[in-house]
Amino acid sequence: MQFEPIIGLEVHCQLATNSKLFCACSTVFGADANHQVCEVCLGMPGTLPVLNKTAVHYAIKLAIAVGGRINEQSTFARKQYFYPDLPKGYQITQFEQPYCEGGVVQVDKETRVELIRIHIEEDAGKNVHARDSSHIDYNRAGMPLVEIVSKPTIRSAAEAAAYLRSLRSLVRHLGISDGNLEEGSFRCDANVSLKPVGSSVLGTRCEIKNLNSFRYVERAINFEIERQRELIINGMPVIQQTLLFDAELGRTIPMRSKEESHDYRYFPDPDLPFLRISKERIKTITAALPELPLAMASRIAEQYTLPDHDAHLLTQDKVVAHYFEQVVLACENSVSSKIVANWVIGEVIPLASEQNWNMSNPVIPYESLAGLLKLIGIGTVSSKIAKVVFEEMVKSGENPALIVDKLGLVQVSDEGAIAKIVDQVIEENPEQVTQYLSGKDKVLGFFVGQIMRASKGKMNPGLVNSILLKKLDQRREHN
C-alpha cells in the first residue's frame, strides 16, 4: 500500500517590538538570566496586563500581507497548563476568536500554502538543564508572538522547508520580525500523519515541537514519515503524542502524550478587553505596506533581465536585494546586471551567512564590490583574479584597486606577451596539438588552462582564446 504524508505547520514568530506583549520589559536577546522580568510577566497577584500597541500593528501587517480576514473584534484567552517555564500557570493567547482567519503564503509562482488562522500570544520562559540541576530563565516569558497555523496541505519535508523560508522572508520584508532561528525568534511545530494514497481518511498525527532550523525541519519530518510508515506496515498503531527531534540521533523522541484543546481549559482572560481593529486602521496600514518578496522578485527579474531563480535568491532578504540594486547602480553599466547578481549570489551571500554579516553594514560595502566589478569591466583584472582580490578585500577591507596594484594583479593584455606564452604551451604539448588537428576541439580547454596557469591567471582570457585559436588554426591549415 502506498502512503502519503499530511503535514501542517504551526509557526511561532516573535514580533520585533522593544517591549513584551503585556508589560514594558525589554525584548533584547542575550541579557543575563531573569534580568528582563517584572511582576506582570511573572503573573504576580494584583498585576494587570496592558496590550502592546506595536505588537498589534505588526500582527495586522502580517494578516494583510497574507490576505487574511481580520476580525473587527477578537478576544484573548487563558490557556491553562502547568510547566516550570510558565510562571502564571497559563499562557495568554487567542482561541475561539483570533484576530485573523484564513490567508495564503505564496511560496513561489506555482506553490501556495493556505492558512487556517493567525493569532497573537505571549511566549513562555525557558528551562535550562545542566548535568545535575535545572534552572529557569523567565526573560522570554511574555515575548510577543504571532502563531501562524497552516492547513494540513503540505506533502513533503522539502515543501515544508520551502514554505518556512518564504514565510520568514515575508516577515523580514514586512519588518515585523528578525526571523532569527538561532535565537528562537522563528520556530515551528510540525504535525505529521500518513494516509493511504487516494483515501480521505487522515491517519493519527504526531506533533514535533520547537524546530528552529530549516535543516532540522526536513530531517525531523522525513524521519517521522518513515517511522509512521514502518509502524503502519507492521500492523502497529501510531500513538498520538508530542515529540522532540534529537538532532544528534537524527530521530524523533516522545515528549508527552498529545493534548487536545479541552485539556487546556481555555476561558476568556478577564483582565483583557476585546481587541478591536477598525477598518480605518487596516486601511492605513495597508497603504503603508512595503514591496513584498514575490512582487520584488518579479520586478527585479524584469528590471535587470535576470532569471527567476536569481531574482528569487536575491529577494529572500530585502536588505540583500537593496545591496544588489546599489551595486548595479554604482557599477554604472561597466558590467551586466547578471554579473553583479552572480557575485552577490555566489560570493557575498554565502560569506554573509558563514561570517554572520549584518547586510545593512556588510564587511564589503556595495561601493567596494562595485569598484571590483568595474575593474573586471574595463579589463584590469580577469574574473578569476577578481576572486583573489575579493578574498583580500574581506581580509583587509582595502580598496580593490589598491590591492590589485599592491599584489601586481593587473591583467596582461599585451598581445605580444600573450602570443609568447601561447607558443610556449603549444610547443610543450604536441600530443594535444595532434588531437586538435584531428578535430578534437574540446582540447582547447586544456590549452587555455595551461596558459592561464603559466601566467598565474593574469592573461586576458578573451585575448588568450583569440590568439590560441588563430595559432592552432594556422597549423591546421598547413597540416
Side-chain angles (χ1 to χ4, degrees), residues 78-82 89 95 260-268:
R78 291 186 179 182
K79 180 182 182 183
Q80 320 286 328
Y81 56 103
F82 301 95
F95 181 50
E260 298 292 349
S261 62
H262 61 259
D263 293 320
Y264 294 118
R265 292 168 293 118
Y266 287 95
F267 66 84

Side-chain angles (χ1 to χ4, degrees), residues 184-203:
S185 301
F186 192 87
R187 59 189 193 270
C188 86
D189 305 335
N191 287 287
V192 181
S193 65
L194 294 185
K195 74 176 183 66
V197 173
S199 171
S200 59
V201 180
L202 299 181

Side-chain angles (χ1 to χ4, degrees), residues 326-377:
Q326 286 179 307
V327 177
V328 171
L329 190 63
C331 279
E332 299 174 318
N333 297 318
S334 57
V335 293
S336 69
S337 299
K338 176 58 179 166
I339 289 178
V340 177
N342 289 346
W343 274 82
V344 174
I345 293 169
E347 306 296 331
V348 176
I349 292 177
L351 256 181
S353 175
E354 179 186 318
Q355 301 192 9
N356 201 25
W357 287 358
N358 175 359
M359 284 303 293
S360 298
N361 186 25
V363 173
I364 303 293
Y366 75 88
E367 301 96 329
S368 296
L369 181 59
L372 176 60
L373 300 186
K374 281 182 175 179
L375 294 179
I376 297 174

Side-chain angles (χ1 to χ4, degrees), residues 153-312:
T153 55
I154 297 169
R155 291 293 182 268
S156 70
E159 189 181 334
Y163 159 71
L164 289 173
R165 288 190 175 92
S166 297
L167 184 56
R168 187 176 72 148
S169 174
L170 177 61
V171 298
R172 284 182 160 182
H173 274 252
L174 291 169
I176 65 170
S177 173
D178 61 20
N180 192 317
L181 292 102
E182 291 79 14
E183 295 176 3
S185 301
F186 192 87
R187 59 189 193 270
C188 86
D189 305 335
N191 287 287
V192 181
S193 65
L194 294 185
K195 74 176 183 66
V197 173
S199 171
S200 59
V201 180
L202 299 181
T204 303
R205 66 186 167 89
C206 292
E207 181 183 44
I208 314 169
K209 294 289 286 183
N210 285 330
L211 296 165
N212 63 350
S213 150
F214 297 133
R215 190 162 61 90
Y216 288 176
V217 167
E218 290 202 59
R219 289 176 62 199
I221 291 175
N222 279 329
F223 176 85
E224 185 58 20
I225 290 171
E226 288 308 311
R227 186 186 75 87
Q228 292 187 21
R229 193 194 310 274
E230 286 292 320
L231 288 172
I232 296 169
I233 289 173
N234 290 302
M236 299 172 69
V238 175
I239 300 171
Q240 182 171 329
Q241 58 187 329
T242 300
L243 308 166
L244 290 175
F245 178 64
D246 187 319
E248 288 188 12
L249 297 176
R251 59 175 300 161
T252 56
I253 53 176
M255 179 183 178
R256 59 176 184 256
S257 60
K258 176 63 182 169
E259 294 92 343
E260 298 292 349
S261 62
H262 61 259
D263 293 320
Y264 294 118
R265 292 168 293 118
Y266 287 95
F267 66 84
D269 192 304
D271 292 336
L272 285 162
F274 293 123
L275 172 60
R276 300 185 192 279
I277 301 173
S278 69
K279 288 186 170 58
E280 290 72 25
R281 188 177 185 185
I282 295 171
K283 191 175 177 182
T284 301
I285 295 174
T286 302
L289 277 188
E291 186 178 29
L292 299 182
L294 275 186
M296 182 181 281
S298 296
R299 175 182 63 76
I300 282 182
E302 183 178 350
Q303 183 174 340
Y304 301 102
T305 322
L306 295 177
D308 288 342
H309 178 70
D310 287 7
H312 179 71

Side-chain angles (χ1 to χ4, degrees), residues 362-410:
V363 173
I364 303 293
Y366 75 88
E367 301 96 329
S368 296
L369 181 59
L372 176 60
L373 300 186
K374 281 182 175 179
L375 294 179
I376 297 174
I378 61 177
T380 301
V381 296
S382 65
S383 295
K384 185 174 181 180
I385 289 296
K387 293 190 178 180
V388 176
V389 179
F390 182 79
E391 289 174 6
E392 193 61 29
M393 289 164 64
V394 174
K395 291 177 190 171
S396 67
E398 288 185 326
N399 180 291
L402 288 177
I403 293 172
V404 170
D405 281 344
K406 188 172 74 176
L407 300 182
L409 298 174
V410 174

Side-chain angles (χ1 to χ4, degrees), residues 57-76:
H57 182 86
Y58 287 173
I60 295 171
K61 286 177 78 172
L62 177 59
I64 296 169
V66 299
R69 183 176 67 258
I70 299 175
N71 294 319
E72 284 190 49
Q73 176 177 296
S74 59
T75 57
F76 286 96

